[in-house]
Amino acid sequence: MRRILMSLAALVALAFATAQDDPLKVAFIYVGPVGDYGFSYAHDLGRQATQEHFGDAIETVYVEDVPEPEVEAFIDQLVADGADVIFGTSFGYGDGILAAAQRYPDVIFGWGTGISRAPNVLTYMADFYQVYYLNGLIAAALSESGDLGYVAAFPIAEVKRHINGFTLGAREVNPDAEVAVRWLYNWFDPAGATEASEALMANGADVLAFTEDTPTVIQVAADRGYPGFSHYASMVEFAPDHVASGQLVHWDTIYIDILEKVLDGTYTTTNLEDVDYFWLLEQGAVELGSEPGVPVAEPFVDDLREVVIDHPEFGEIDVYELVLERRDQMAQGRDVFEPFMGPLEDRNGNLVYEDGYMPTLEDLLSMEFAVPGVVGPWDNEPQ
Amino acid sequence: MDVDLALVLTTLARALAFSTPLLWAALGEIVVERAGVVNLGVEGMMILGALAGFVVAQSSGDPWLGLAAATAAGVAAAAVHGLLAVVLRANQYVSGLALTIFGLGLTGLIGRGWVGRPLRNPMEFVDLPLLASVPLLGPAFFQGQYVLSWLGLLAAVVLWFVLHHTRLGLVVRSVGENPAAADAAGVRVLWVRFLAVTFGGAMAGVAGGFLSLAYRPSWGQGMTNGLGWIALALAIFALWDPLRAIFAALLFGALFTLSFSLQEFFAPQLLTMMPYLFTILALAITAVRKGAGAFGAPEALGEPYARGRR
């Protein structure tokens, strides 16, 4: 009897061992170096947390600094190395991923920030517009002049959505606040970001926000004593006393959810055509904070508490409380609070969303208008 | 029209700050090209200087030590070009381009561990005593600037004097205009050219160091982002004259900063393409007026020299 039990145990152990010997191979392709303290760094933090979550059930590898036109060659190599799931993190990888997905029908692909899918290609995105709205509340409360500055990479829907969210937040605290926007037409341009920030501050802006891939803006603002916001990952180190809050991402929430569904067989190489993650505060994919766990940096909490406004929904409330209230509302779901809820007019006075209209995902992904309070050029603006 | 004085002063102040790396690198290239050598490796030498400067300044805590390292890195990189293009008479354009590609690649590789951290002890804005309180000029150029910006202006004046009013300058120019004649007069052409190339490397190294130690006190892969190419255009636009380079650099700097402050009125691309447009114009004008002499590219620019050969 004892012998049978022992051999049974050995069998079970062997079964586990085989399972462990054959983990799901997951590869990540990054567009920048993992040390960029921005987009690719955040993805790699997500990869590490994902690996930790699954332990031996998956095996992750990554390649960094992969130029967008060359992504197919890297996919070929990763598939040759046995990758079962491949995540390409950049919008510009789209053509390469979709082409490779046809060549490798047995591999599951994830296209980060992507827009089109295939039976074995899903898309995923952690979007910041709600967090930018919260940063807007904070920025308006910290600004003496009511003039806020925004350094933006490209006039595309994603960035426009960020700027609009930020501006709506700012105007909720200060109805006269204005957000001046300067475009870099570049994701990476340290000199341009420097001069854009300087130009904004010379024009009176005393709080700066940004969507681009360097910590330049907070460094330049701090040189003049003005606050800024972390982007993707904590940038507190770049300006220790001048990062008020920011938008942080947790890609691992998305990666873990996808891989769980791959492991349990929900996602296969034939049914991903309609799988699109657009994750927000509600799913914990993004976070408000200068660094993880710190929604508003300590020195700025008192500044926000000192600003008390008469709010149509909450009555007398200080801005620190307002920020947390709004954050918690959005964490419960878009139906509890949505910054872009109709009625919404653009800055030219057109009604873009009717009273009570809840903008769809499609609306958000194709946002071209500018809300009132946005100042500056705006390509492809509907008249 | 109501001229906004504040905008003019800020534009000038930012133009000086932004144009500092352009001026340093362009002054170096002016000397190199005056000696008859083209070095398209400015971008590569700059980025090597930026990384070397950052690494040494971050490790030692002293940005000026970092600047020395940046200069040395520029010299070392330029020496490679000097060896290939001057001594071995390889194609100058290919060698320079290779240097740029090599510099960008190597710094990307070595710089990995240094990305994402701010420089702990950067060069700060300072006011220049006395001159800072001069009306208009003070706020435009002498308040809240980097020391290297003023040293760049000074270097331009000194270089102009040396090139045009000293025997050394005559020697440098002679190997760029007519190396055979200079050789016949006893000038060691290859040595002069080699040293000019390394001097250009030192200046490009300073330009790179300025970026990572003062202007953007951090290391980012590819952080020169094309400034080296603008510096090359600047050397030509200034018609190889250090004094004109000051005004050309300030003009390029003003156009760049105005492309942001005037974004509401002009498409920024309109202003940022101006430097290149001006350079093309300058080249065209030079070509047309070449017959008039005095005014133009060094005669032997880009031609390797070997005694007794043409």
Side-chain angles (χ1 to χ4, degrees):
Chain A
M1 182 68 189
R2 198 192 149 110
R3 230 183 175 162
I4 297 171
L5 269 180
M6 291 251 311
S7 40
L8 254 177
L11 254 178
V12 171
L14 188 69
F16 268 111
T18 348
Q20 280 172 357
D21 280 347
D22 196 21
L24 189 73
K25 278 205 170 171
V26 185
F28 295 77
I29 305 175
Y30 305 138
V31 69
V34 291
D36 68 358
Y37 256 60
F39 193 69
S40 296
Y41 175 73
H43 276 286
D44 200 57
L45 288 182
R47 178 192 65 83
Q48 292 168 32
T50 305
Q51 176 73 69
E52 198 160 309
H53 175 85
F54 287 104
D56 294 338
I58 67 168
E59 179 190 326
T60 62
V61 292
Y62 70 85
V63 281
E64 58 187 329
D65 248 338
V66 174
E68 287 166 346
E70 289 166 33
V71 68
E72 274 196 78
F74 283 85
I75 292 175
D76 289 339
Q77 185 58 46
L78 290 166
V79 172
D81 290 346
D84 302 303
V85 180
I86 297 178
F87 292 107
T89 57
S90 177
F91 181 81
Y93 290 155
D95 291 341
I97 288 176
L98 291 169
Q102 290 197 340
R103 269 207 314 282
Y104 304 113
D106 297 333
V107 177
I108 289 178
F109 291 88
W111 177 16
T113 76
I115 46 171
S116 52
R117 286 160 293 279
N120 58 338
V121 181
L122 60 80
T123 49
Y124 63 97
M125 170 77 170
D127 199 81
F128 280 142
Y129 79 89
Q130 296 173 321
V131 188
Y132 271 103
Y133 157 83
L134 295 169
N135 286 169
L137 299 172
I138 296 169
L142 295 178
S143 171
E144 307 251 320
S145 62
D147 293 331
L148 312 178
Y150 202 115
V151 177
F154 280 101
I156 56 173
E158 177 192 349
V159 179
K160 289 178 172 180
R161 191 161 70 234
H162 292 171
I163 298 169
N164 283 336
F166 184 78
T167 309
L168 288 175
R171 287 224 155 178
E172 190 168 322
V173 166
N174 175 1
D176 299 323
E178 291 196 332
V179 178
V181 182
R182 291 293 176 266
W183 303 98
L184 300 180
Y185 294 91
N186 210 330
W187 285 109
F188 179 85
D189 181 6
T194 305
E195 297 310 323
S197 306
E198 292 283 1
L200 286 165
M201 291 187 292
N203 246 345
D206 56 4
V207 181
L208 295 189
F210 68 96
T211 305
E212 50 101 9
D213 283 349
T214 73
T216 302
V217 174
I218 50 174
Q219 251 182 328
V220 177
D223 277 348
R224 309 267 176 206
Y226 295 137
F229 299 90
S230 289
H231 187 49
Y232 280 117
S234 167
M235 292 182 173
V236 171
E237 216 188 325
F238 284 87
D241 303 319
H242 295 93
V243 181
S245 183
Q247 50 283 344
L248 309 172
V249 69
H250 298 287
W251 290 110
D252 47 303
T253 55
I254 295 177
Y255 288 136
I256 288 172
D257 193 82
I258 293 172
L259 293 176
E260 260 167 4
K261 296 199 166 83
V262 171
L263 285 168
D264 73 13
T266 312
Y267 292 161
T268 68
T269 51
T270 54
N271 67 0
L272 302 179
E273 196 95 56
D274 295 319
V275 178
D276 177 32
Y277 285 70
F278 186 78
W279 275 21
L280 303 164
L281 281 169
E282 184 184 355
Q283 294 84 8
V286 293
E287 179 185 352
L288 172 77
S290 52
E291 52 193 309
V294 185
V296 176
E298 180 59 32
F300 295 95
V301 172
D302 288 342
D303 295 340
L304 295 186
R305 283 205 182 278
E306 275 166 28
V307 183
V308 179
I309 59 168
D310 190 14
H311 193 275
E313 188 178 333
F314 303 105
E316 291 260 302
I317 187 168
D318 72 63
V319 174
Y320 183 67
E321 282 305 319
L322 176 63
V323 168
L324 298 186
E325 284 282 354
R326 284 301 199 206
R327 182 194 63 173
D328 295 343
Q329 281 183 324
M330 289 187 285
Q332 287 169 54
R334 286 185 69 206
D335 48 333
V336 181
F337 178 70
E338 163 57 48
F340 291 117
M341 189 76 188
L344 187 68
E345 281 190 355
D346 68 17
R347 66 176 180 178
N348 296 324
N350 308 315
L351 188 69
V352 284
Y353 301 142
E354 302 271 344
D355 192 6
Y357 179 76
M358 166 69 81
T360 61
L361 181 56
E362 202 57 37
D363 292 327
L364 294 175
L365 291 177
S366 61
M367 187 175 287
E368 291 291 351
F369 61 86
V371 299
V374 175
V375 181
W378 197 268
D379 290 359
N380 302 322
E381 182 170 13
Q383 281 312 307
Chain B
M1 190 180 137
D2 188 22
V3 177
D4 187 341
L5 185 63
L7 175 68
V8 173
L9 292 181
T10 329
T11 303
L12 289 175
R14 292 313 305 169
L16 178 59
F18 172 77
S19 66
T20 297
L22 300 181
L23 182 60
W24 280 96
L27 288 174
E29 185 68 12
I30 285 173
V31 171
V32 176
E33 296 195 5
R34 277 288 184 192
V37 184
V38 173
N39 187 353
L40 298 182
V42 177
E43 178 91 358
M45 300 187 295
M46 261 174 96
I47 194 110
L48 284 162
L51 179 63
F54 181 81
V55 168
V56 169
Q58 188 76 321
S59 313
S60 68
D62 183 351
W64 293 98
L65 206 59
L67 190 69
T71 314
V75 169
V80 175
H81 182 66
L83 189 68
L84 287 171
V86 177
V87 180
L88 300 177
R89 298 195 299 278
N91 184 312
Q92 300 182 1
Y93 299 92
V94 175
S95 163
L97 271 177
L99 187 55
T100 285
I101 296 166
F102 169 75
L104 289 170
L106 183 72
T107 52
L109 189 69
I110 298 178
R112 259 186 203 165
W114 300 90
V115 176
R117 264 169 291 158
L119 183 65
R120 59 192 165 114
N121 204 359
M123 294 181 182
E124 307 268 359
F125 287 136
V126 283
D127 291 353
L128 195 66
L130 298 176
L131 281 174
S133 48
V134 176
L136 300 183
L137 271 183
F141 297 125
F142 301 111
Q143 293 176 8
Q145 294 285 1
Y146 300 107
V147 173
L148 280 177
S149 300
W150 301 320
L151 289 181
L153 300 178
L154 190 66
V157 176
V158 170
L159 275 180
W160 169 80
F161 183 81
V162 170
L163 273 179
H164 293 281
H165 297 281
T166 66
R167 183 173 151 70
L168 176 62
L170 188 66
V171 167
V172 169
R173 284 186 293 135
S174 69
V175 302
E177 295 291 345
N178 192 340
D183 194 7
V187 173
R188 298 169 72 181
V189 174
L190 295 192
W191 261 112
V192 173
R193 285 189 164 186
F194 184 83
L195 289 176
V197 168
T198 52
F199 176 79
M203 299 292 273
V206 172
F210 173 80
L211 285 176
S212 65
L213 302 171
Y215 185 77
R216 279 281 32 82
S218 55
W219 163 250
Q221 187 179 336
M223 71 184 293
T224 46
N225 208 28
L227 290 178
W229 295 107
I230 302 185
L232 269 170
L234 183 63
I236 298 167
F237 179 54
L239 300 173
W240 302 273
D241 179 330
L243 281 190
R244 269 193 289 239
I246 295 181
F247 299 103
L250 285 174
L251 177 66
F252 283 17
L255 285 168
F256 188 74
T257 161
L258 284 173
S259 76
F260 294 105
S261 46
L262 296 184
Q263 224 172 58
E264 279 168 77
F265 312 105
F266 298 101
Q269 294 87 347
L270 204 65
L271 292 170
T272 44
M273 75 177 192
M274 286 297 165
Y276 301 102
L277 196 65
F278 287 158
T279 305
I280 294 169
L281 278 177
L283 276 175
I285 293 169
T286 323
V288 169
R289 294 191 52 175
K290 207 159 190 179
F295 187 70
E299 281 297 325
L301 183 59
E303 295 171 11
Y305 177 70
R307 185 175 289 170
R309 275 198 231 163
R310 286 201 59 88

